[in-house]
Amino acid sequence: MTAPKDRPWLFRTYAGHSTAKASNALYRTNLSKGQTGLSIAFDLPTQTGYDSDHELARGEVGKVGVPVAHLGDMRTLFDDIPLEQMNTSMTINATAPWLLALYIAVAEEQGADVAALQGTVQNDIIKEYLSRGTYICPPEPSLRMITDVAAYTRENLPKWNPMNVCSYHLQEAGATPEQELAFALATATAVLDDLRPKVAPEDFPAMVGRISFFVNAGIRFVTELCKMRAFTELWDEICRTRYGVEDTKFRRFRYGVQVNSLGLTEQQPENNVYRILIEMLAVTLSKNARARAVQLPAWNEALGLPRPWDQQWSLRMQQVLAYETDLLEYGDLFDGNPVIDAKVSALKDGARAELETIDSMGGAVNAIDYMKRRLVEANGDRIGRIETGETVVVGVNKFETTEDSPLTAGNGAIMVADAAAEEDQISRLDAWRAARDEAAVKTALEDLSAAARSGANIMPASIGAAKAGATTGEWGHVIRRTFGTYRAPTGVAAEPSNKTEGLDDIRDAVNAVSDRLGHRLRLLVGKPGLDGHSNGAEQIAARARDCGMAITYEGIRLTAAEIVDAAKEAQADVIGLSILSGSHLPLVHDVLEKLRLAGMADTPVIVGGIIPDEDAAALTNAGVARVYTPKDFELNRIMFDIVAIAEKPLIAAE
């Protein structure tokens, strides 16, 4: 008799763009194609607690996800989607209490049993300080709000996962497998330590069991498979020894995954299909460490927004593996394998060593500076290995000759965000504010402020504000006013590192142009807007520093005016802007205009990001000196470019 097949994992596609209405149509289409769970991508203003008409939101509305500014947007987002029947993952962190409050309010309007709701809010703020940047306030109150959500769901949403410890962005920021294991597990223990006093002792083991994880699977297939087995064993160990959890089901390592986007290449992007497939195998082949939910990027994400067809292709990849192969008919294929066992053991030892270091500092919150510095160093090492060819990336630093791809030819090869979406969103936000009961909103926001100040659970007051008609920006303003703002460490030390091998020629060039300038060549690196993907900016700043330049880099989320003021104060010779959210055109034009008004129009500007060719041409025509995209992986070449750009006015003067 044939043994019954295992149930497949949840099939998800991470999606959301332009407006709530457009995203709703996309979700219903994906569900009709066999997707079994929703995975909501929110835009950067929503993630960082700003309304769509805030100064920092300019150019960012609807770009990397869907804008949700109030209850009306959330209603539209889930129109004709019965939330009681869904398993919804919301990739939201700093504003997780607020978006969950809006979700609950919509579910109640639909007549759903709130206790039956299933899904997850990511709600992992610590990795935001390390790698993604969508934090609102300092770490301590952020940790408190994470555990407020957890405690509220224990009472009211028993099927909801209140936190998804996210190591995904740690790997995107350059983490080694050992660092990814350790930093994620340290985050989980920080949350559980803070949660423990908020629930009854008899309820705590079940709350441990409701912590889930969201991980990354890279191209090093064997290492990634072993990493997932190491995660499973280390989590079981922590649950037993640190928290005394006896029930095995509460010690189970439950995780979802999106496979690696960091390794997707702009060059020969069709090769990304194979990368995505191999990375998916790392989190599905080993039954005892198999993901509970999988979402795959699209093959062309290094080029721009994927189209519905591109997302469908990734979904079909999962379905072929789950339904056409015999994978789900067998037990674990790797138990007892000596190679696997040895690698798992080595990864666990490395992760334990990192965990001991973090614990010696007082835990993850106190170790944020340390972990950020380690990530920047590890990412620098990764890039260096690609530059030297030690790490082969097919189509990038080896086998670069290629035929033209029909997949990327012609108009419509990638989806372009609706240019009118931002204006449409703002007009509907204005209409929402005009139609609501202002007195009710004022009272609800006062209640929210009182709860934040008193230490009461933030969720009931957030739900009250959602129902009254408050906006995302108003919720965020209360949180900032109560707890203060925060600027996370950049991980880029002021002093040069000792990794200067191969930089002699560039250092000589920097010294020569510095002598001619009469001062050390000054580079300011800025990140305008709300884009928190700082990896590229950090690596440019660190390499420029090691090449002998004087650098100014203050981190993420700056207005154009702040960047220009900083450039003026530093007397920058070159300004470098990094924008990966797709908002490069309006943000760069804003910086250029403010430079002109400040009498600094002659200060050269270079720009890096995921920038289509036609946009690069537009930026060059506007006066940008150089445009760099993911294909420009050789940092040393960029350093030589900066020297040439700084020297150009001197040559012209002669």
Side-chain angles (χ1 to χ4, degrees):
M1 182 176 176
T2 305
K5 274 188 174 185
D6 292 331
R7 291 175 60 187
W9 51 91
L10 285 172
F11 304 146
R12 286 190 169 128
T13 303
Y14 183 53
H17 67 89
S18 301
T19 64
K21 185 176 181 180
S23 297
N24 170 264
L26 178 62
Y27 299 155
R28 287 190 284 112
T29 298
N30 286 346
L31 289 169
S32 73
K33 293 177 179 176
Q35 184 173 300
T36 53
L38 290 175
S39 184
I40 312 300
F42 296 99
D43 74 353
L44 288 173
T46 306
Q47 292 185 51
T48 51
Y50 292 106
D51 283 333
S52 303
D53 57 356
H54 191 278
E55 177 188 8
L56 278 169
R58 184 180 176 223
E60 306 280 18
V61 177
K63 284 285 172 61
V64 302
V66 58
V68 175
H70 47 72
L71 184 60
D73 284 341
M74 200 63 134
R75 281 186 197 129
T76 302
L77 188 64
F78 294 109
D79 186 37
D80 286 333
I81 298 176
L83 297 187
E84 195 170 337
Q85 299 174 28
M86 286 295 108
N87 188 307
T88 304
S89 171
M90 294 194 285
T91 303
I92 198 71
N93 294 285
T95 53
W98 175 243
L99 271 297
L100 181 57
L102 290 171
Y103 190 86
I104 290 169
V106 169
E108 288 183 355
E109 288 182 349
Q110 289 185 357
D113 176 5
V114 171
L117 296 179
Q118 297 184 68
T120 304
V121 278
Q122 193 165 95
N123 202 22
D124 176 359
I125 306 299
I126 292 176
K127 63 93 180 172
E128 295 299 319
Y129 302 120
L130 299 177
S131 55
R132 185 60 186 84
T134 68
Y135 51 82
I136 287 182
C137 60
E140 289 80 4
S142 292
L143 184 62
R144 168 210 157 171
M145 288 192 287
I146 292 174
T147 54
D148 277 359
V149 169
Y152 184 85
T153 61
R154 197 211 70 77
E155 293 283 347
N156 300 280
L157 282 79
K159 297 182 178 181
W160 194 270
N161 294 320
M163 187 197 188
N164 210 215
V165 180
C166 181
S167 72
Y168 176 84
H169 287 109
L170 300 178
Q171 187 178 129
E172 296 281 296
T176 66
E178 293 86 351
Q179 289 169 346
E180 187 180 344
L181 286 162
F183 295 0
L185 293 170
T187 295
T189 57
V191 169
L192 288 174
D193 289 349
D194 194 73
L195 175 62
R196 193 177 235 169
K198 294 186 178 183
V199 299
E202 62 271 19
D203 294 326
F204 186 69
M207 290 306 299
V208 174
R210 286 172 61 188
I211 298 294
S212 59
F213 291 75
F214 188 76
V215 306
N216 199 329
I219 195 64
R220 289 176 58 80
F221 164 77
V222 175
T223 298
E224 294 297 313
L225 187 149
C226 292
K227 181 189 75 181
M228 298 321 308
R229 291 172 71 93
F231 251 136
T232 299
E233 294 175 20
L234 285 168
W235 183 240
D236 183 81
E237 180 181 301
I238 288 169
C239 292
R240 280 187 294 105
T241 60
R242 188 178 183 116
Y243 299 114
V245 178
E246 296 179 1
D247 193 326
T248 56
K249 74 173 180 287
F250 295 147
R251 302 201 305 262
R252 189 178 303 137
F253 184 79
R254 299 177 307 116
Y255 77 98
V257 63
Q258 171 157 322
V259 306
N260 191 285
S261 292
L262 180 67
L264 301 182
T265 63
E266 181 181 3
Q267 303 94 317
Q268 300 180 30
E270 60 277 3
N271 296 339
N272 293 331
V273 174
Y274 308 131
R275 294 184 177 106
I276 293 166
L277 172 60
I278 291 166
E279 291 163 355
M280 177 177 65
L281 294 177
V283 295
T284 53
L285 288 187
S286 178
K287 178 178 178 178
N288 294 338
R290 182 173 293 150
R292 291 171 65 94
V294 176
Q295 59 191 45
L296 303 179
W299 67 280
N300 55 353
E301 285 190 15
L303 305 177
L305 283 174
R307 301 157 297 185
W309 183 88
D310 305 313
Q311 292 189 328
Q312 174 184 301
W313 200 6
S314 288
L315 175 62
R316 294 292 185 252
M317 193 182 295
Q318 293 199 58
Q319 292 167 331
V320 168
L321 179 64
Y323 294 117
E324 293 191 23
T325 78
D326 56 357
L327 173 65
L328 300 180
E329 297 172 17
Y330 294 93
D332 198 290
L333 307 176
F334 300 95
D335 284 351
N337 182 303
V339 174
I340 298 294
D341 289 347
K343 182 63 176 177
V344 170
S345 180
L347 288 171
K348 287 165 63 177
D349 288 344
R352 287 193 191 100
E354 282 282 11
L355 281 166
E356 287 174 9
T357 299
I358 294 167
D359 279 342
S360 73
M361 296 177 176
V365 169
N366 291 334
I368 285 172
D369 279 19
Y370 164 78
M371 291 190 287
K372 179 64 176 178
R373 188 170 64 253
R374 292 276 284 158
L375 288 174
V376 172
E377 291 169 354
N379 202 21
D381 291 343
R382 180 190 69 83
I383 291 171
R385 289 191 297 271
I386 294 172
E387 285 183 290
T388 63
E390 179 184 346
T391 295
V392 172
V393 183
V394 173
V396 173
N397 62 3
K398 199 174 181 69
F399 312 116
E400 298 165 59
T401 303
T402 183
E403 301 294 333
D404 291 338
S405 169
L407 293 175
T408 58
N411 293 329
I414 59 170
M415 191 171 77
V416 177
D418 183 357
E422 183 166 333
E423 183 180 347
D424 175 60
Q425 172 69 11
I426 291 171
S427 68
R428 284 183 291 101
L429 174 59
D430 289 340
W432 176 266
R433 291 187 185 123
R436 67 187 183 176
D437 183 338
E438 287 297 332
V441 172
K442 183 173 183 291
T443 299
L445 292 174
E446 288 171 353
D447 291 344
L448 176 65
S449 181
R453 291 194 309 271
S454 71
N457 191 297
I458 205 75
M459 282 301 300
S462 295
I463 295 170
K467 292 179 177 178
T471 68
T472 297
E474 289 165 342
W475 187 91
H477 177 70
V478 169
I479 298 303
R480 289 183 174 90
R481 187 180 62 202
T482 305
F483 299 127
T485 57
Y486 180 75
R487 186 163 288 281
T490 66
V492 181
E495 296 302 315
S497 72
N498 58 4
K499 298 175 182 177
T500 57
E501 183 179 351
L503 300 182
D504 290 346
D505 289 348
I506 307 173
R507 290 170 68 88
D508 289 344
V510 170
N511 288 336
V513 76
S514 296
D515 289 343
R516 297 183 68 190
L517 288 166
H519 58 258
R520 183 61 38 192
L521 195 165
R522 302 167 184 146
L523 171 69
L524 179 136
V525 179
K527 285 195 64 64
L530 295 175
D531 172 34
H533 283 108
S534 57
N535 306 335
E538 291 155 4
Q539 294 307 314
I540 291 290
R543 183 65 61 86
R545 173 204 63 196
D546 291 346
C547 289
M549 300 183 202
I551 62 162
T552 300
Y553 175 55
E554 298 177 352
I556 63 170
R557 216 182 300 168
L558 299 169
T559 65
E562 288 170 331
I563 289 172
V564 171
D565 287 345
K568 190 172 186 176
E569 182 177 346
Q571 296 181 295
D573 298 303
V574 180
I575 297 171
L577 303 179
S578 171
I579 307 162
L580 283 87
S581 63
S583 303
H584 39 269
L585 289 178
L587 293 178
V588 172
H589 282 296
D590 197 12
V591 172
L592 293 175
E593 174 62 15
K594 286 183 169 53
L595 283 170
R596 186 187 65 79
L597 293 173
M600 300 171 65
D602 292 336
T603 305
V605 174
I606 62 176
V607 178
I610 301 175
I611 302 173
D613 290 343
E614 58 269 27
D615 287 0
L619 291 172
T620 301
N621 290 337
V624 170
R626 294 281 195 288
V627 176
Y628 299 100
T629 68
K631 69 177 181 296
D632 300 300
F633 66 95
E634 296 176 285
L635 297 189
N636 288 352
R637 184 177 68 78
I638 296 174
M639 296 302 112
F640 275 121
D641 286 351
I642 292 171
V643 170
I645 290 166
E647 194 172 31
K648 190 173 181 180
L650 299 175
I651 296 172
E654 293 173 353

